Amino acid sequence: MSTIALRLQTPLPETYTAALPADLEERIQEAKQSLGSNLVILGHHYQRDDVIQWADARGDSFKLARFAADHPTAKYIVFCGVHFMAESADILTGDNQHVMLPDLNAGCSMADMANEDQVLDAWDDLSAICGTEHIVPITYMNSSAALKAFVGEHGGAVCTSSNAEAILRWAFHTRKAEKVLFFPDQHLGRNTAVNLGFSTKDCVVWNPRAENGGLEEREIKEATFLLWRGHCSIHQRFRVAQIEEARQKNPDVHIIVHPECAHEVVCAADQAGSTEAIIKAIATAPAGTSWGVGTEIHLVHRLAQEHPDKQVFSLDPVSCPCSTMARIDPSHLAWTLEHLQAGQIVNEIRVDPDTTRWARTALERMLAIT
Ligand code: 13P
Ligand code: SF4
């Protein structure tokens, strides 16, 4: 089982890199218009403002996957997001549809923390220690197509930050799991386990670089959740001390964080949810309320701009953007669209048929459950 490797992005010609923002804007607009209904641009909420303004649909990773699955006639899908999102869109669309990622270097460092060989090794270790008949593997959407295929083939499913609870409930009730192997984000796994009534003591962390995950056989046998040692470097920056400071400044502040944050941060917050859930909570809150947010900075800035009647700020005073999401810029978008206009498909993301078969099973299970 294999998937396409992430190729390095071809450097763009100067007509794109040296173009002024207003020029790029005009060219994107023109290309978009001329491609008409053949083209759909999808944008993840962490995209820059000068890119997301062109999106026909914006969403969290679940909503964008659902959108791709529900639009079988869109010929060209330009995905302004990261590689695993574009792969998922390709898996869920037909062979006659073409998914493009404007910059091939837009990956996700968390997704890179689990690879297929490591997961196969972990499965072999688990098989030798406790058998795998009652272990259900669940992969976060932020993973390669090869890992989605692995879970599809082994009776598991994909989850996103907006449906992880429902997917884990399915694993225990429908699939009668006794244990779950959850990768690659330990934090989403732990936060969801606790939301379902389990304790952090039911979770152990599987280190893919150590023999038997760095665990004693007894620990593996006793645990309900085997959580992969992976994390998002952006969300790991949020701290309980930042929440305390925000509350000291304003005891009425509402704290909302993404479930990729550490468990103690999620416990200290008032709410946790996917990017879509964060947007909804702030959009529907009364005017005059104050929101300390623990997620990527482009989204926090946009929320602050869109809701001038509310105070919206990042919990991390020096928060950095997701650098891979930010690789998609107007130059790369213009380059992709102008090639399409000229009849050339660039940066197509195509997952091979074997991987697609099982990865689609895992994604479709998710879509059917939620
Ligand atoms: P959402 O599914 O909440 O949009 O999250 C995707 C992601 O990569 C968050 O870091
Ligand atoms: Fe990956 Fe974190 Fe960026 Fe999300 S914010 S795409 S998890 S690196």
Side-chain angles (χ1 to χ4, degrees), residues 46 82 84-85 107-111 142 232-235 260 296 322 324-325:
Y46 292 161
V82 287
F84 71 81
M85 297 178 181
C108 163
S109 53
M110 176 206 280
N142 302 33
C232 165
S233 45
I234 306 300
H235 289 92
E260 287 174 15
E296 204 267 350
C322 172
T324 47
M325 283 272 181

Side-chain angles (χ1 to χ4, degrees), residues 49-244:
D49 286 349
D50 53 9
V51 168
I52 199 122
Q53 62 171 328
W54 302 109
D56 298 299
R58 297 179 185 192
D60 61 5
S61 43
F62 176 72
K63 196 169 158 186
L64 294 175
R66 166 82 74 202
F67 188 96
D70 289 347
H71 287 77
T73 55
K75 197 165 167 201
Y76 306 119
I77 298 176
V78 173
F79 211 119
C80 298
V82 287
H83 193 261
F84 71 81
M85 297 178 181
E87 269 192 340
S88 301
D90 176 56
I91 292 163
L92 289 167
T93 49
D95 287 347
N96 56 329
Q97 296 178 281
H98 304 274
V99 178
M100 282 148 276
L101 183 66
D103 184 334
L104 290 177
N105 290 340
C108 163
S109 53
M110 176 206 280
D112 293 340
M113 288 178 192
N115 68 42
E116 192 184 9
D117 286 345
Q118 291 171 326
V119 169
L120 289 173
D121 284 350
W123 200 248
D124 282 350
D125 289 350
L126 292 170
S127 173
I129 293 166
C130 55
T132 47
E133 310 81 63
H134 302 292
I135 305 182
V136 175
I138 301 291
T139 188
Y140 189 23
M141 182 69 115
N142 302 33
S143 59
S144 68
L147 297 196
K148 292 182 176 79
F150 173 87
V151 303
E153 199 172 356
H154 293 83
V158 175
C159 76
T160 73
S161 54
S162 65
N163 59 25
E165 268 184 54
I167 302 295
L168 285 179
R169 236 181 257 118
W170 166 85
F172 288 109
H173 296 154
T174 308
R175 291 278 298 108
K176 308 283 181 228
E178 285 173 11
K179 286 186 202 304
V180 164
L181 173 63
F182 190 96
F183 41 84
D185 185 20
Q186 61 169 295
H187 300 299
L188 179 66
R190 189 176 296 105
N191 289 325
T192 313
V194 171
N195 284 349
L196 288 175
F198 292 92
S199 141
T200 52
K201 293 198 181 97
D202 298 315
C203 306
V204 290
V205 176
W206 184 276
N207 177 0
R209 294 174 191 276
E211 199 182 329
N212 289 343
L215 297 163
E216 303 285 334
E217 289 198 12
R218 176 191 52 80
E219 292 176 291
I220 294 172
K221 285 181 181 153
E222 286 174 10
T224 306
F225 291 88
L226 301 154
L227 306 177
W228 201 262
R229 199 167 88 168
H231 65 269
C232 165
S233 45
I234 306 300
H235 289 92
Q236 250 198 196
R237 289 184 54 86
F238 296 103
R239 300 267 177 273
V240 173
Q242 295 163 345
I243 298 179
E244 286 166 354

Side-chain angles (χ1 to χ4, degrees), residues 262-299:
H263 184 58
E264 63 272 17
V265 172
V266 169
C267 288
D270 298 303
Q271 267 170 275
S274 76
T275 52
E276 197 73 22
I278 293 172
I279 291 168
K280 197 166 166 203
I282 295 178
T284 55
T289 48
S290 172
W291 292 82
V293 186
T295 196
E296 204 267 350
I297 195 70
H298 284 105
L299 175 56

